[in-house]
Amino acid sequence: DGGITQSPKYLFRKEGQNVTLSCEQNLNHDAMYWYRQDPGQGLRLIYYSQIVNDFQKGDIAEGYSVSREKKESFPLTVTSAQKNPTAFYLCASLRPSGGAENTGELFFGEGSRLTVL
Amino acid sequence: AQSVAQPEDQVNVAEGNPLTVKCTYSVSGNPYLFWYVQYPNRGLQFLLKYITGDNLVKGSYGFEAEFNKSQTSFHLKKPSALVSDSALYFCAVSPPISNFGNEKLTFGTGTRLTIIP
């Protein structure tokens, strides 16, 4: 079955350490996204990529980095510069509509919960 | 700037009764509106969307939503609630965009729906 796989599901990190969250999709979607979810808040966009070898900052990119070397993969690195990294991280890809304007819905992975000790 | 408001953090409904989860929005131009559902420690799942056409849209699991332009609302409804409908529901809005992406999607803060047996 097609879908998005995020790993690890749970991750603990010490302060000052970088950590990389994996996101893999076999849906053949071009556009991929990373969101951060905090309790009582909506999802906030960290980074997005519309095509291989290209990515753009979202609303809260500071302290994060990404790469998009393959269509299937969009890993997120949470660096030590991120001041409050404890959160639930969600990766998504965009189902294209086939039309000139985007009307597609997002497919989400199961999420990765990062806790900084 | 666009925004989404979900005025109720928590909604409780008895099993078998109709349910409504409220959403109002603000966006320039014609909105693209979405509802997503999230079960505990899982990613979001797409429920339904409004792009154009009939103001009443039907989606997954028996849910529907009504687009009301004059009230800038997009409330989620279901005629008869099930215990399995208990989850966190997110409304989202984006302006129409012509490029291939959905980075302008703004999520509400979510409404926790609890169906009481």
Side-chain angles (χ1 to χ4, degrees):
Chain A
D1 290 334
I4 297 180
T5 302
Q6 288 188 241
S7 62
K9 192 170 179 65
Y10 298 96
L11 186 60
F12 297 89
R13 188 193 92 177
K14 293 181 179 179
E15 283 191 19
Q17 289 181 335
N18 292 354
V19 62
T20 297
L21 308 180
S22 171
C23 177
E24 302 281 330
Q25 56 107 350
N26 60 3
L27 299 165
N28 199 34
H29 291 170
D30 286 306
M32 297 186 72
Y33 306 81
W34 274 104
Y35 288 92
R36 171 180 171 140
Q37 183 179 13
D38 296 284
Q41 299 192 36
L43 276 66
R44 293 183 289 168
L45 182 63
I46 305 172
Y47 268 97
Y48 64 97
S49 168
Q50 294 182 345
I51 199 166
V52 175
N53 292 322
D54 182 67
F55 49 83
Q56 306 294 330
K57 293 181 179 180
D59 301 320
I60 56 165
E62 185 176 352
Y64 299 98
S65 66
V66 293
S67 63
R68 188 82 187 279
E69 298 177 359
K70 299 185 300 181
K71 187 175 187 178
E72 302 79 14
S73 179
F74 190 40
L76 173 74
T77 297
V78 184
T79 75
S80 57
Q82 168 50 233
K83 297 187 187 310
N84 186 20
T86 295
F88 191 51
Y89 291 88
L90 289 162
C91 179
S93 67
L94 180 66
R95 177 180 176 182
S97 66
E101 286 190 346
N102 163 49
T103 61
E105 63 260 27
L106 293 171
F107 279 78
F108 284 86
E110 297 285 274
S112 292
R113 187 169 297 281
L114 173 62
T115 302
V116 174
L117 304 174
Chain B
Q2 64 193 50
S3 64
V4 179
Q6 294 184 242
E8 300 159 317
D9 292 334
Q10 173 83 39
V11 172
N12 297 326
V13 177
E15 185 178 19
N17 282 4
L19 68 87
T20 299
V21 182
K22 297 179 180 178
C23 172
T24 59
Y25 66 89
S26 173
V27 69
S28 297
N30 295 321
Y32 287 12
L33 294 157
F34 302 81
W35 275 103
Y36 286 85
V37 60
Q38 184 180 34
Y39 298 99
N41 294 310
R42 306 289 294 276
L44 278 67
Q45 296 177 31
F46 170 79
L47 275 181
L48 51 80
K49 66 184 178 186
Y50 172 82
I51 303 300
T52 187
D54 194 346
N55 289 345
L56 183 66
V57 294
K58 295 185 183 299
S60 306
Y61 311 120
F63 284 94
E64 59 188 27
E66 185 169 12
F67 170 61
N68 188 317
K69 189 172 183 177
S70 62
Q71 297 185 4
T72 62
S73 68
F74 189 57
H75 300 332
L76 181 70
K77 300 181 180 183
K78 187 174 183 180
S80 179
L82 301 173
V83 172
S84 57
D85 293 330
S86 298
L88 187 58
Y89 290 80
F90 288 95
C91 182
V93 65
S94 76
I97 50 177
S98 58
N99 61 326
F100 195 76
N102 208 7
E103 66 275 11
K104 299 296 185 185
L105 190 65
T106 299
F107 285 87
T109 54
T111 298
R112 187 163 302 280
L113 176 65
T114 300
I115 308 303
I116 303 167

